[in-house]
Amino acid sequence: MTDVIAQLGSEADYLLGHQCQGIRKEMLQLPGPDYVDRVMALKDRPPAVLRNMQLLFNTGRLGGTGYLSILPVDQGVEHSAGASFAPNPMFFDPDNIPRLAIEGGCNAVASTLGVLGSVARKYAHKIPFLVKINHNEMLTYPAMHDQTLFASVQQAFDLGAVAVGATIYFGSPESRRQVMEISEAFALAHELGMVTVLWAYLRNSAFKVGDTDYHESADLTGQGNHLAVTINADIVKQKQAVNNGGYNALKFGKTHPRVYDTLTTDHPIDLVRYQVANCYMGRVGMINSGGPSGKDDLHQAIRTAVINKRAGGMGLISGRKAFQKPMQEGVALLNAIQDVYLAKEIDIA
């Protein structure tokens, strides 16, 4: 097991000893082995959706815990194949993507229609597939910041996927169209028994004010989460909040003083707790993204996982930190993330 305290270093007491006061843990529907029975079974989802959600929870090293560790590799479209796979060219071959997820003990692998379709008969029965149906491709010039449907829900179902994922750029001029597209897609996915996952990201140049980037503020991302669960996302993927006060800095939209003086503090766990609260107080699970690969990946991945777990989140979806390394190093990093969720001494703040 990973020595989490050693990896957290000087932040260990700060992150492991904190207790949330503004939104207390007793107010949340927390992840756990009985999550599908206790929370999801109350919803209007068809039985096949409950079955596939339980399959996600039962797979990998975190099987039976109610937490998720997902490997996402859609960056070949989102960032270009060269930018994503040149650091580790073996991942130009889609066969290595589900293999890393399996060897890394993940609950699922998330990727494009092309990647998962090209190896479906080899791996669809070995690890749950999550097909990302829309993307922001990076070859159009000048660059566009929009999500375009690359695949249909039916295609994802036909190749054996148990879940579909999509991105909406909330705050962008195109977001209203994206909401309509993905709401319709999620409705069909549920009819077919598939779990729905929304990348609830923000995208607008006005969200950067001076030197501060509010694309990752608790209040704005929290509202993104609230919109995501409104269109029946079963799981919300969100960037971990690193600041707050986006509404006030932008002088736009509506908020309330209690968001800042009562419900949150500047502690990272409180900021992420507010993100969880906006997922219907945990009735929809929130997973945080792992972020880009860098020089301090192990420390950063464990820190992100600790904050997510203690805030009441449902897990991590981490890609570049894992697949841009040699296979065994990637496996070790994924296992380290999972160790945080397996550690009973790391509790809910």
Side-chain angles (χ1 to χ4, degrees), residues 123-145:
Y123 289 111
H125 57 296
K126 296 178 181 177
I127 186 168
F129 280 6
L130 192 172
V131 174
K132 183 77 164 29
I133 61 173
N134 70 353
H135 305 284
N136 178 29
E137 60 87 11
M138 299 294 287
L139 193 57
T140 301
Y141 185 84
M144 294 173 60
H145 298 293

Side-chain angles (χ1 to χ4, degrees), residues 120 124-125 127-131 154-163 194:
H125 57 296
I127 186 168
F129 280 6
L130 192 172
V131 174
Q154 187 66 51
Q155 287 174 300
F157 177 80
D158 289 344
L159 67 80
V162 306
M194 303 169 76

